[in-house]
Amino acid sequence: REGVSAHDKQLIEQVLKSTGEWLWVKQESDLDVVTALSGSGPAYVFYFLEAMTEAGVQMGLSAEQAYHLAQATFGGATHLSRQSAESPEVLRQRVTSKGGTTYAALTSMQNTHVSELFQTALKAAQTESDYRGGKYECEVLEWTLDIGTEGGHETKPRTVLALPPMNTLTEDQQASIRKIEAESTGEAA
């Protein structure tokens, strides 16, 4: 958002790096897209793992065998996509032989509009995230920074970060936030 300086971004990134991966978005409404795609994403992966496991069992494997293969497939494909600069479309094409088994499965998925249905599901999650956006409170970390001027100092309030309530964060995350607040206000941590 406008008004977030490079220094503010650095402070925010210090807090967020302890939580895993993160990215900057251009506007607050993009957070609903992030929620739909990534926040809810693990459930989608588990849903597909479930479906692949059930299919494997229906085709004659044990549940353990089918689940192991489904996990290995997701893990391997994810690893390959992270290592490659190619798009998912190109990667998919590279592992699909025209007229082969993968082609048969993908053609079945295309004919039943799996991609469109999946996109509709994510849009439903985005809509729900937007709806819920005003329902849950967050703590907004706000403090004043002394900004030097030629004639002395002036103080300017700056909203830096909105987080879930502090009591829902880990002790390490809380400590990081307290440290950053202390550094930004010049107080001892």
Side-chain angles (χ1 to χ4, degrees), residues 128-165:
E128 183 65 17
S129 177
D130 178 51
Y131 171 74
R132 291 177 174 272
K135 289 190 165 206
Y136 298 101
E137 292 185 22
C138 345
E139 292 186 16
V140 178
L141 298 182
E142 196 170 323
W143 53 84
T144 59
L145 299 176
D146 287 330
I147 299 170
T149 62
E150 288 181 22
H153 286 87
E154 63 181 34
T155 58
K156 179 179 176 186
R158 299 284 289 273
T159 301
V160 176
L161 182 61
L163 294 169

Side-chain angles (χ1 to χ4, degrees), residues 24-46:
W24 287 99
V25 294
K26 290 184 180 184
Q27 55 197 16
E28 188 173 349
S29 62
D30 290 342
L31 293 175
D32 297 322
V33 178
V34 171
T35 297
L37 185 63
S38 183
S40 298
Y44 313 148
V45 172
F46 300 141

Side-chain angles (χ1 to χ4, degrees), residues 92-112:
R92 177 184 47 79
Q93 290 169 351
R94 290 191 186 280
V95 297
T96 305
S97 301
K98 182 106 176 163
T101 57
T102 306
Y103 180 81
L106 290 174
T107 299
S108 175
M109 288 183 203
Q110 289 168 346
N111 290 340
T112 56

Side-chain angles (χ1 to χ4, degrees), residues 1 9 14 18 26 32 62 81 84 87 91 127 129 150 164 169 179:
R1 75 179 182 128
K9 281 186 174 185
Q14 282 181 320
S18 69
K26 290 184 180 184
D32 297 322
S62 72
S81 72
S84 176
S87 71
L91 293 173
T127 299
S129 177
E150 288 181 22
L169 300 175
K179 178 181 175 193

Side-chain angles (χ1 to χ4, degrees), residues 14 23 48 68 150 175:
Q14 282 181 320
L23 60 94
F48 281 104
H68 175 78
E150 288 181 22

Side-chain angles (χ1 to χ4, degrees), residues 170-186:
T170 67
E171 288 182 24
D172 287 342
Q173 291 166 337
Q174 290 179 33
S176 293
I177 291 167
R178 284 190 295 274
K179 178 181 175 193
I180 290 169
E181 284 179 310
E183 288 173 1
S184 69
T185 59

